[in-house]
Amino acid sequence: MRGFAETVLRALGATGEEARINADGVVTASLWWHPGQGQGLEKLFRYARRMRNGGIKPNASMRWVRETAATALLDADMGLGYVAARRAMDRAVEKARDTGVAMVAVRHSNHFGIAGYHARRAADARLIGVAMTNAGAEMAPWGATRPVLGTNPWGIAVPRGQGRDPIMLDMALTQSGKGMMRWLQRAGLPMPEHWALTPDGACTTDPAAAMDGPLLPVGDYKGYGLSLVTDILTGVLTGSLFGGQVFQDDLDYDVAHTMIAIDPDAFMSRPRFEERLERLVGEVLAAPPIEPNRPVQLPGEAEQLRARERLRRGVPVDRRTAVGLGELAAELNVPFSLETATACAERQDAPQECGHEPSPNSES
């Protein structure tokens, strides 16, 4: 998968570095997330369209436009979002080692993939990482029907000692996204009533009826507030677009990202931080589960368990995506090197809740 994604991106004009970073991002998303969330190999279709029409510039001339000891602003020059966010987080980590806390923002960028991917970059360097971005308007202000704000996702990763996986929160600020709604629509399944509204503000469980309506925020009015603040910390603060303007022009999304790195060593010794963190983790995991066969999990644990299973058994790719990737490879005259697998279950189960792996539908 990684080699195929790199080859496609190189054929579209990406440099070797850009192709490696973006391929790593989409493959990581394929390992961590459900295909219906639309962040895996299916993102190659968007890259292809927008690298061809000029909305994404390969080999963009990214430049640092402002910098202090603990902050920086990167102009991404309409380049690939994964690349811009990687450079920003790496700079934040570098600065935080000297200042304790650093914040680096990006303007004039593109979709940066999954927020947790960038936050984990800091955690792998033994720092706490925070990554956020604004996105296209799909959420209405609380009590309204017209979308103004985006899903505006957050990623927060906290390193743990002794080779343990980091605690990793990766979430959009809406209950779900249009990708999962389309997945259920194709499968002929209803969606939860709290996911989205019809364009006139009515509740529904029909994904098709809500496709042009607003997504509902996490935590009701609280999620709306978080999305608004995220747009301030990204779009408003950097000079990029915000609100209903960002992500609307296919030739210029003008997305903004903000990366924060925090060095625990600036606050206490590393052994003391790790000991205190593990005491908190122990309390959380010791909480009696509602269902005995579903023990309490840490944020990010489900994704890491899913990734390990997929590394053993393969990554599910729905049939529509596989066919489309074959067609894209033929257009670009690159080998279609993905092999099909038959290990996936062919049941039409609805995506399960509580972070447990959904069964692929019969199109997988």
Side-chain angles (χ1 to χ4, degrees), residues 31-47:
L31 289 169
W32 287 1
W33 284 12
H34 185 279
Q37 290 169 295
Q39 301 295 333
L41 287 186
E42 55 276 6
K43 269 290 176 283
L44 292 176
F45 301 129
R46 179 184 287 181
Y47 287 138

Side-chain angles (χ1 to χ4, degrees), residues 142-221:
W142 187 245
T145 60
R146 180 168 60 87
V148 175
L149 300 168
T151 58
N152 294 359
W154 288 8
I156 303 175
V158 181
R160 299 171 68 191
Q162 300 180 7
R164 298 182 178 97
D165 290 327
I167 297 170
M168 190 176 64
L169 176 68
D170 189 323
M171 67 175 192
L173 298 179
T174 51
Q175 294 283 356
S176 187
K178 295 292 177 73
M180 283 304 303
M181 290 167 59
R182 292 188 187 96
W183 182 274
L184 294 178
Q185 183 182 359
R186 290 199 301 268
L189 296 169
M191 69 178 186
E193 191 177 54
H194 63 278
W195 276 17
L197 303 175
T198 64
D200 59 357
C203 295
T204 182
T205 60
D206 180 2
M211 202 58 69
D212 294 325
L215 296 174
L216 289 172
V218 297
D220 298 336
Y221 59 89

Side-chain angles (χ1 to χ4, degrees), residues 7 12 42 51 78 105 125 199-200 311 319 339:
T7 303
L12 290 165
E42 55 276 6
M51 291 172 80
M78 298 173 62
D200 59 357
L311 286 169
R319 191 179 305 280
E339 298 179 358

Side-chain angles (χ1 to χ4, degrees), residues 278-290 295-298 301:
E278 292 310 313
R279 278 200 282 132
L280 174 59
V281 167
E283 285 189 44
V284 170
L285 296 181
I290 295 172
V296 175
Q297 292 183 317
L298 295 173
E301 187 174 353

Side-chain angles (χ1 to χ4, degrees), residues 42-280:
E42 55 276 6
K43 269 290 176 283
L44 292 176
F45 301 129
R46 179 184 287 181
Y47 287 138
R49 184 187 76 245
R50 302 194 63 246
M51 291 172 80
R52 285 164 163 168
N53 70 16
I56 296 176
K57 291 183 184 178
N59 196 23
S61 300
M62 299 184 187
R63 61 190 179 90
W64 299 100
V65 293
R66 286 178 179 266
E67 194 154 11
T68 71
T71 65
L73 175 63
L74 175 67
D75 188 317
D77 189 36
M78 298 173 62
L80 289 151
Y82 265 116
V83 176
R86 165 75 69 89
R87 292 181 183 177
M89 183 56 87
D90 284 354
R91 184 62 64 93
V93 167
E94 176 187 343
K95 288 178 174 294
R97 293 197 190 284
D98 293 327
T99 61
V101 179
M103 177 170 156
V104 177
V106 182
R107 71 183 187 190
H108 308 327
S109 186
N110 281 290
H111 184 273
F112 81 168
I114 50 177
Y117 175 85
H118 303 293
R120 177 152 186 171
R121 182 83 175 165
D124 288 343
R126 302 187 72 213
L127 274 67
I128 297 169
V130 180
M132 60 181 70
T133 186
N134 61 0
E138 293 184 303
M139 178 199 297
W142 187 245
T145 60
R146 180 168 60 87
V148 175
L149 300 168
T151 58
N152 294 359
W154 288 8
I156 303 175
V158 181
R160 299 171 68 191
Q162 300 180 7
R164 298 182 178 97
D165 290 327
I167 297 170
M168 190 176 64
L169 176 68
D170 189 323
M171 67 175 192
L173 298 179
T174 51
Q175 294 283 356
S176 187
K178 295 292 177 73
M180 283 304 303
M181 290 167 59
R182 292 188 187 96
W183 182 274
L184 294 178
Q185 183 182 359
R186 290 199 301 268
L189 296 169
M191 69 178 186
E193 191 177 54
H194 63 278
W195 276 17
L197 303 175
T198 64
D200 59 357
C203 295
T204 182
T205 60
D206 180 2
M211 202 58 69
D212 294 325
L215 296 174
L216 289 172
V218 297
D220 298 336
Y221 59 89
K222 297 179 182 179
Y224 150 60
L226 291 173
S227 182
L228 175 63
V229 170
T230 303
D231 215 354
I232 294 169
L233 292 176
T234 54
V236 173
L237 187 63
T238 64
S240 279
L241 294 179
F242 49 81
Q245 289 75 50
V246 66
F247 235 85
Q248 300 305 306
D249 183 357
D250 203 49
L251 302 181
D252 187 6
Y253 278 179
D254 202 359
V255 183
H257 326 304
T258 296
M259 308 289 154
I260 301 170
I262 304 166
D263 188 353
D265 292 334
F267 299 89
M268 63 180 65
S269 70
R270 179 70 59 156
R272 184 173 180 227
F273 168 73
E274 291 178 351
E275 185 272 330
R276 289 172 60 81
L277 177 61
E278 292 310 313
R279 278 200 282 132
L280 174 59

